[in-house]
Amino acid sequence: MRTLTGLQPSGKLHLGNYFASIKQMVDAQNAGEELFMFIANYHAMTSVGDGEKLRNSTYEAAAAFLSLGIDPEKSTFWVQSDVKEVLELYWILSGYTPMGLLERAHAYKDKVAKGFETKHDLFSYPVLMAADILLYSANVVPVGKDQIQHVEIARDIAIKFNNAFGEILTLPQARVNENVAVVPGTDGAKMSKSYGNTVDIFSSPKELKKQIGSIVTTSEPLEAPKEWKSCNVYNIAKLFLDENEQKALQERYKKGGEGHGHFKMYLNELVSEYFKEAREKFEYYMAHKGELDEILALGANKAKAHAVNLMDKIRNATGIYR
């Protein structure tokens, strides 16, 4: 079983990114799954028009994923644009993609509704995503519920292509982990860069303290017991705690004598300690981009080996090879 995922280099990673996605990938990798993971910089071009910003964000994403546990020896980890075959397959698959299929894409309609310009790259985004998945013969694609349709589109395109040329493309399955934690943001809504309510993993100690300090809480007297079930601070803190530690924190809430400021200080300590080693690695990689280039080149070579093999079959089938 080959698992594939791509993540855009679209700004600082936060606790929601980690617990809802990255940790799942690291756990799958360490459990022995064949993990293909790439930085989706072509996809990021639909929303990032500044070349220097995209370049820096790509390095930051590479440093972050490596620091958080992606192991290039166990997994295939690369930058999307380093394997150009994906663009060739994107064009070929475009000929097997009905317009109506793309016109029904929820993500496109949602972005247009939010004011995004109606451009071809945004409209054909699902075809490039299909190329990402199909080029590496992925069996499983972990996604959030909002991305299930894109995997279904990839399947539909693959079926149409296979009907024309035989069973060349592997049909992928979406994997939605219903047990993935929904991480509350500082305002209690789902943590998201779009909402501006994040606690960032690689922020400075000063910025981390500021973000945690902004978490919305109730205002009981210091000596009064506090409600933990609905407390945003508790619901973030519990992600770092085992069952006994969660119970101990619950008792502190029930006992009273501590204010929400105390619990925010405790959360700050938890986050700082949990990601201490990752932050140190991140700073190292960002200061040694040559090493990042070497790691990403190694991953691109591994990914390209799979891509070239499949593209040979596709070129022969479609007549591109004479």
Side-chain angles (χ1 to χ4, degrees), residues 126 129-130 133-134 149-159 172:
M129 185 169 172
I133 296 167
L134 300 174
Q149 188 188 38
H150 281 167
V151 181
E152 292 173 343
I153 289 173
R155 283 180 61 88
D156 289 343
I157 296 171
I159 290 170

Side-chain angles (χ1 to χ4, degrees), residues 17 30 46 64 81 87 108 112 116 127 129 138 140-141 144 172 175 211 224 242-243 279 287-289 294:
N17 297 139
N30 295 339
T46 61
S81 61
L87 294 183
Y108 174 74
V112 171
F116 279 72
V127 186
M129 185 169 172
V140 175
V141 184
R175 178 199 287 164
Q211 290 176 338
D242 62 28
E243 186 175 347
R279 279 198 298 273
H288 297 81
K289 291 180 181 175
E294 291 176 6

Side-chain angles (χ1 to χ4, degrees), residues 265-283:
M265 288 174 59
Y266 175 62
L267 176 60
N268 190 27
E269 292 169 2
L270 286 175
V271 176
S272 298
E273 185 59 30
Y274 188 90
F275 292 110
K276 181 181 178 181
E277 184 177 345
R279 279 198 298 273
E280 291 172 354
K281 288 182 179 179
F282 178 81
E283 291 174 5

Side-chain angles (χ1 to χ4, degrees), residues 135-301:
L135 184 59
Y136 303 105
S137 303
N139 304 105
V140 175
V141 184
V143 291
K145 291 181 179 178
D146 59 334
Q147 289 283 317
I148 293 174
Q149 188 188 38
H150 281 167
V151 181
E152 292 173 343
I153 289 173
R155 283 180 61 88
D156 289 343
I157 296 171
I159 290 170
K160 195 170 180 66
F161 183 91
N162 286 348
N163 285 342
F165 298 108
E167 300 300 312
I168 294 175
L169 301 178
T170 299
L171 302 186
Q173 293 284 350
R175 178 199 287 164
V176 179
N177 188 342
E178 300 290 351
N179 297 320
V180 168
V182 175
V183 182
T186 55
D187 58 356
K190 179 182 177 180
M191 189 175 290
S192 169
K193 286 188 285 285
S194 301
Y195 301 151
N197 64 354
T198 62
V199 177
D200 299 328
I201 296 170
F202 297 108
S203 57
S204 67
K206 181 178 179 181
E207 182 61 24
L208 178 63
K209 183 177 180 181
K210 180 180 178 181
Q211 290 176 338
I212 290 176
S214 69
I215 296 174
V216 176
T217 55
T218 53
S219 54
E220 299 90 349
L222 182 66
E223 65 277 3
K226 312 295 184 299
E227 173 56 52
W228 56 269
K229 289 183 181 178
S230 59
C231 178
N232 296 324
V233 177
Y234 175 83
N235 285 321
I236 297 174
K238 72 179 183 181
L239 299 169
F240 298 90
L241 305 175
D242 62 28
E243 186 175 347
N244 289 333
E245 290 168 331
Q246 288 180 30
K247 289 180 179 178
L249 182 57
Q250 293 168 17
E251 290 303 316
R252 288 175 59 183
Y253 271 81
K254 296 174 185 177
K255 183 178 180 181
E258 292 184 275
H260 288 291
H262 294 93
F263 298 125
K264 289 179 180 180
M265 288 174 59
Y266 175 62
L267 176 60
N268 190 27
E269 292 169 2
L270 286 175
V271 176
S272 298
E273 185 59 30
Y274 188 90
F275 292 110
K276 181 181 178 181
E277 184 177 345
R279 279 198 298 273
E280 291 172 354
K281 288 182 179 179
F282 178 81
E283 291 174 5
Y284 173 83
Y285 281 126
M286 289 305 293
H288 297 81
K289 291 180 181 175
E291 289 191 29
L292 283 179
D293 287 330
E294 291 176 6
I295 291 170
L296 294 170
L298 176 65
N301 287 337

